[in-house]
Amino acid sequence: MSAAVAGERARAPERSGRVAGKVAVVTGAAMGMGRATAELLAREGAAVTLTDIDTTEGAAAARAIRDAGGRAAFRPLDVSDEAAVARVWAEVVAEHGRIDILVNCAGVIGPDKPTHEVTEAEWDALFAIDVKGVLWGTKHAVPYMIEQGGGSIVNFSSIYGLRGNDEFSAYHVAKGAVTMQTRQDAATYGRHGIRVNSVHPSTVLTPLVEGIAAEFPGGIAAYEEVNTTHQSLRRLGRPEEVAYGVLYLASDEASWVTGVALPIDGGYTAR
């Protein structure tokens, strides 16, 4: 980890109640950007339900939020299972009476292959989580949000949902689908007071990336240098920086913002 990133982590701001009183659900919340988002929403006053297939890390994340004074619970969930999504959302509403914020973060990267080498099984496995997971999450949150008079949905796409390159072809297409679903749902549900936006990170120092970077020749600093050559800001992001973008879009500060694809990418898409 670079000294700059380590220093920024040490300067976390105090809570200010930006989503106080709201009920939030975050998928893929066991670690990385999903966990950072859940932690920040709880710190800013929301009652947060964390979901993930990783029950150990997910439960630990919720427990850490509670230990810090926040309100959080963990529910195991495979977002590719529509019936399971519907059940968990119903359980959240039964407990809290509403869902104000849905963050569709759960996702996988899939095979690093060009289109002509991707198998049907690989394609289907990736789309089941990255695309259907957003579909089912939104589908089963929207009726509650319509009934309660509004809500905010934030979908995790990627810089690769905005532009192509020569790697991870299926992932690019999946994230492009998330980008378009975001716009379509924003156009459809705005009349009900439901806002739908997406965030588009570049490479972020999640635990997974930190593990890969630690094994890179020259370590994390060398990995960071190689992987930021196309960015204006020559360092990797950190989960908290993406979480603050989600917080803004989820909060009432963004009450007139919908259908936005927000890059949080160190200037990658600016070049």
Side-chain angles (χ1 to χ4, degrees), residues 82-83 85-87 89-90 99 135-144:
E82 181 180 6
V85 171
R87 183 187 69 251
W89 279 205
I99 297 175
L135 170 63
W136 302 146
T138 300
K139 176 181 177 179
H140 292 286
V142 160
Y144 296 118

Side-chain angles (χ1 to χ4, degrees), residues 17-255:
R18 293 169 65 184
V19 286
K22 295 187 182 295
V23 176
V25 177
V26 182
T27 70
M31 60 181 63
M33 290 180 280
R35 177 168 180 165
T37 298
E39 291 172 341
L40 181 58
L41 290 172
R43 192 163 71 238
E44 293 294 334
V48 183
T49 297
L50 296 79
T51 77
D52 207 288
I53 59 171
D54 188 334
T55 57
T56 300
E57 291 296 329
R63 184 166 56 251
I65 290 172
R66 293 193 300 270
D67 290 345
R71 293 180 295 163
F74 172 73
R75 295 183 184 274
L77 179 63
D78 176 355
V79 296
S80 69
D81 183 341
E82 181 180 6
V85 171
R87 183 187 69 251
V88 169
W89 279 205
E91 291 170 353
V92 172
V93 173
E95 180 179 358
H96 295 287
R98 57 193 299 117
I99 297 175
D100 298 296
I101 299 164
L102 170 62
V103 181
N104 287 310
C105 180
V108 295
I109 296 176
D112 184 5
K113 294 181 177 180
T115 298
H116 73 284
E117 294 181 2
V118 176
T119 68
E120 182 178 10
E122 290 169 337
W123 182 275
D124 288 347
L126 175 65
F127 271 64
I129 298 171
D130 287 19
V131 181
K132 280 188 177 180
V134 174
L135 170 63
W136 302 146
T138 300
K139 176 181 177 179
H140 292 286
V142 160
Y144 296 118
M145 291 181 173
I146 291 175
E147 183 178 359
Q148 70 201 26
S152 176
I153 299 172
V154 183
N155 297 323
F156 268 73
S157 183
S158 166
I159 54 170
Y160 296 145
L162 298 174
R163 59 171 57 185
N165 69 8
D166 60 355
E167 61 182 7
F168 295 99
S169 291
Y171 179 76
H172 283 67
V173 178
K175 290 304 184 179
V178 172
T179 303
M180 194 61 240
Q181 184 178 339
T182 299
R183 292 171 176 157
Q184 179 67 15
D185 289 343
T188 301
Y189 298 119
R191 72 196 69 176
H192 301 290
I194 300 170
R195 299 181 298 102
V196 189
N197 296 285
S198 56
V199 292
H200 299 256
S202 56
T203 305
V204 175
L205 277 169
T206 62
L208 174 63
V209 172
E210 287 184 345
I212 295 170
E215 298 179 1
F216 191 81
I220 292 179
Y223 180 88
E224 186 170 43
E225 181 177 358
V226 168
N227 283 274
T228 59
T229 57
H230 298 294
Q231 291 180 191
S232 300
L233 303 177
R234 297 301 177 90
R235 65 170 178 82
L236 300 180
R238 54 191 175 94
E240 294 87 347
E241 291 173 310
V242 180
Y244 272 104
V246 177
L247 172 64
Y248 165 68
L249 293 172
S251 75
D252 291 341
E253 297 163 14
S255 59

Side-chain angles (χ1 to χ4, degrees), residues 4-16:
V5 171
E8 287 168 0
R9 284 188 175 178
R11 295 193 295 271
E14 297 296 324
R15 69 186 71 193
S16 58

